[in-house]
Amino acid sequence: MKKVITYGTYDLFHYGHQRLLERAKELGDYLIVGVTADDFDKTRGKINVHQPLIERIESVRSTGLADEIIVEEYEGQKIDDIKRKEVDIFTVGSDWIGEFDYLNEFCDVVYLDRTEGISSSDIRSEHRSIKLGLIGKSRILTKFYNESKHVNGITVDYVCTEDPKEINKLKDEDVVITEDYDVLLEHCDAVYIVSPPIRHYEQIKKALNLGKHVLCEAPIALREDEFDELIELAEKNGLMLFESIKTAYSTAFHRLVLLAKSGRIGDIISIDATCTSLRDINTEALEKEWSSIEKWGPTALLPIFEIFGTEYKNKHASSLILKDNFDIFTKIDFEYESSVASIKVGNSVKSEGELIISGRNGYIYVPAPWWKTDYFELRYENQEENKKYFYQLEGEGIRYELVAFIRSIQMNKNNSYIKTKVSKAIAKTVGDCIYGDVNKLS
Ligand code: C2G
């Protein structure tokens, strides 16, 4: 019996895939099809896949051409499979010609002509491309613009900023730069907002009233009533209102939260998150600057509210104030029923930006800069039990956040990784600090 094996993502199954499988089948008597796991696709840069693994397997199964279906999960697995299953022929489309010649050591390698005129990414982009406008003042703006190029289904034609550094970075790009938010809103279907948080409520409300979807850097608002009003407005208008915290879309962060909740380190007693940066604050134009609780508060609060929830018994905040309520360092301690948590955030104060989740049997350690990490450790008393985890993280998580936002719009289903009650608790906590509910150190 001549065994043939082929691999693929098989997203949004189409006749190019069908023809490949038909011709692969004709090469032998028994066809094995390897369908790529979601994480494996992410690792190899395919971040726009629409369908989950189970649906893509079903697409292949329903052709009736595969005698066996397996899941491709890691680099190098092809060699394992070919040896273990005693495969005679590996085949794949000609778009991969040369990429798998190394498999000649284990079996015959056959490249089949790719079917022209059809591809999954073309089908994905058949959804009318969403025009995304960017507004704000932060170096994240240009990062966002560059990350948007990796995401199927969106175009960025307009950017609204007064920031000379951002304007300079974008001057050679094919975008219109305006200082007028109304102009931006006229030319987009959705808007990404990275302006100082004090302006978020008004800017979001204007966009939603004009029928625009919104992706806004956390916090969405600074008062609970404003937060609720915006959520209701988005729902009433059938629009997506997404909070942007790129850490939430880092696979490593997502997985460490799952591990923490799984009991792997026992009951969790304490969570300590530190986020700081050193930068000069222009005290003459504070309204254009980000205080530490504005810049780092949402990120530092995320693991606490994700793991412990938002029903803490009390909190105590202490801030080093530069001027008015503008803090350059804030420490907040939370007390829950049977646990405690703290954040330390500083914008022009420097500390070790680590995240430590302490449990009865061990702890999770995430080294600095934990908020954009691709790595964390489970540590125990017996160090031989320690485990290290690594996950691909391209672009600090921004492109994955954009994929989630765009797919939510296309599928009219909010699949944000950040629960609304977490967003609301972040808004309240940051707002309390900004409106002075803190112990002022100076
Ligand atoms: N294909 C084709 N014609 C098309 C599109 C795809 O012949 N118009 C072939 C591809 O060459 C591949 C298979 O169909 O052999 C599945 O394609 P994809 O789902 O796009 O997955 P891809 O990542 O290209 O698969 O490690 C090998 C890769 O996983 C190959």
Side-chain angles (χ1 to χ4, degrees):
M1 174 168 72
K2 186 178 282 187
K3 283 189 171 183
V4 181
I5 197 167
T6 188
Y7 295 81
T9 303
Y10 294 104
D11 189 36
L12 305 175
F13 197 87
H14 54 68
Y15 66 85
H17 296 143
Q18 176 75 20
R19 288 193 64 243
L20 185 287
L21 293 178
E22 287 167 351
R23 287 171 292 152
K25 179 81 175 184
E26 287 161 9
L27 293 175
D29 312 301
Y30 186 88
L31 175 62
I32 304 166
V33 181
V35 182
T36 47
D38 298 336
D39 267 359
F40 182 55
D41 270 326
K42 229 176 180 178
T43 300
R44 65 191 191 120
K46 287 187 88 166
I47 64 168
N48 290 290
V49 176
H50 269 208
Q51 294 178 291
L53 172 62
I54 191 74
E55 289 179 18
R56 294 183 282 115
I57 286 174
E58 182 50 34
S59 297
V60 172
R61 196 201 56 73
S62 60
T63 65
L65 291 163
D67 298 290
E68 184 180 348
I69 296 176
I70 59 175
V71 178
E72 185 180 25
E73 300 185 271
Y74 57 90
E75 291 291 343
Q77 182 180 326
K78 292 181 175 73
I79 298 173
D80 277 349
D81 294 340
I82 288 166
K83 286 162 65 175
R84 198 159 31 85
K85 294 178 179 294
E86 297 176 327
V87 166
D88 303 291
I89 298 172
F90 165 87
T91 187
V92 74
S94 55
D95 46 322
W96 293 90
I97 203 152
E99 290 290 325
F100 298 105
D101 293 352
Y102 69 89
L103 294 175
N104 272 306
E105 183 185 342
F106 308 100
C107 66
D108 292 340
V109 175
V110 175
Y111 297 101
L112 298 168
D113 287 345
R114 176 186 174 81
T115 303
E116 293 314 320
I118 182 88
S119 74
S120 305
S121 47
D122 289 346
I123 296 171
R124 286 183 209 116
S125 300
E126 267 167 21
H127 286 284
R128 190 178 68 78
S129 193
I130 292 166
K131 293 183 182 303
L132 179 67
L134 310 182
I135 174 170
K137 175 214 167 292
S138 154
R139 58 192 175 77
I140 293 182
L141 202 68
T142 308
K143 270 188 188 177
F144 230 91
Y145 174 75
N146 292 326
E147 285 296 291
S148 70
K149 297 172 185 172
H150 296 275
V151 180
N152 287 166
I154 51 171
T155 55
V156 176
D157 301 323
Y158 277 74
V159 175
C160 178
T161 184
E162 305 157 10
D163 187 332
K165 278 183 275 174
E166 294 312 295
I167 291 171
N168 184 48
K169 282 186 232 170
L170 292 169
K171 67 181 186 318
D172 299 329
E173 299 290 346
D174 183 17
V175 291
V176 173
I177 296 179
T178 174
E179 292 190 10
D180 186 334
Y181 186 38
D182 293 319
V183 168
L184 182 86
L185 290 174
E186 280 167 33
H187 294 88
C188 67
D189 308 309
V191 61
Y192 165 66
I193 299 173
V194 62
S195 53
I198 202 86
R199 301 170 66 183
H200 288 176
Y201 168 70
E202 289 303 335
Q203 288 176 336
I204 293 174
K205 190 171 179 180
K206 175 174 252 187
L208 293 175
N209 281 326
L210 288 172
K212 312 298 180 182
H213 304 282
V214 176
L215 173 63
C216 180
E217 281 297 327
I220 286 175
L222 296 174
R223 296 184 193 283
E224 290 184 285
D225 56 340
E226 290 177 350
F227 180 92
D228 291 339
E229 180 192 342
L230 293 175
I231 295 293
E232 282 162 32
L233 181 58
E235 281 165 11
K236 181 164 74 69
N237 293 4
L239 295 165
M240 287 302 144
L241 172 51
F242 240 65
E243 177 160 70
S244 170
I245 305 179
K246 57 183 180 296
T247 300
Y249 294 86
S250 137
T251 306
F253 177 79
H254 190 62
R255 289 296 165 82
L256 77 86
V257 169
L258 295 177
L259 274 173
K261 289 180 173 179
S262 72
R264 289 290 300 277
I265 57 172
D267 290 340
I268 299 171
I269 308 304
S270 172
I271 299 175
D272 301 281
T274 301
C275 304
T276 64
S277 47
L278 259 190
R279 44 162 296 129
D280 298 329
I281 301 286
N282 177 0
T283 50
E284 298 314 310
L286 275 187
E287 73 285 354
K288 293 185 176 178
E289 293 288 349
W290 296 66
S291 68
S292 63
I293 195 66
E294 289 174 323
K295 179 178 173 67
W296 290 117
T299 301
L301 292 165
L302 188 65
I304 294 170
F305 292 152
E306 285 284 348
I307 294 170
F308 283 161
T310 56
E311 301 307 314
Y312 49 83
K313 284 168 51 182
N314 56 57
K315 73 178 163 78
H316 177 78
S318 299
S319 294
L320 180 61
I321 300 296
L322 185 63
K323 190 178 168 189
D324 305 332
N325 285 331
F326 190 98
D327 73 297
I328 55 172
F329 176 81
T330 289
K331 185 173 187 297
I332 304 181
D333 293 304
F334 294 91
E335 189 176 325
Y336 286 79
E337 197 55 45
S338 51
S339 60
V340 291
S342 78
I343 69 164
K344 286 202 291 280
V345 292
N347 196 13
S348 78
V349 167
K350 197 65 193 151
S351 182
E352 184 65 20
E354 61 191 8
L355 171 63
I356 299 177
I357 302 173
S358 312
R360 296 293 309 278
N361 300 335
Y363 66 97
I364 295 174
Y365 175 71
V366 193
W370 70 266
W371 52 88
K372 54 181 181 182
T373 188
D374 54 5
Y375 154 76
F376 63 90
E377 288 185 44
L378 262 59
R379 292 181 175 175
Y380 297 94
E381 190 64 19
N382 172 5
Q383 293 189 12
E384 287 172 11
E385 292 175 24
N386 287 3
K387 281 199 77 172
K388 295 182 178 179
Y389 294 82
F390 298 85
Y391 295 95
Q392 189 93 3
L393 179 65
E394 303 288 347
E396 303 179 27
I398 292 173
R399 64 185 72 172
Y400 308 133
E401 176 180 83
L402 262 176
V403 167
F405 178 54
I406 297 308
R407 286 195 51 207
S408 295
I409 295 172
Q410 290 168 340
M411 302 169 77
N412 193 28
K413 177 178 174 297
N414 189 328
N415 56 18
S416 170
Y417 284 21
I418 306 166
K419 293 185 279 295
T420 302
K421 66 177 182 176
V422 169
S423 292
K424 185 170 181 177
I426 288 172
K428 175 176 176 5
T429 306
V430 174
D432 286 351
C433 289
I434 289 178
Y435 293 119
D437 178 15
V438 289
N439 164 39
K440 296 183 181 181
L441 299 175
S442 70

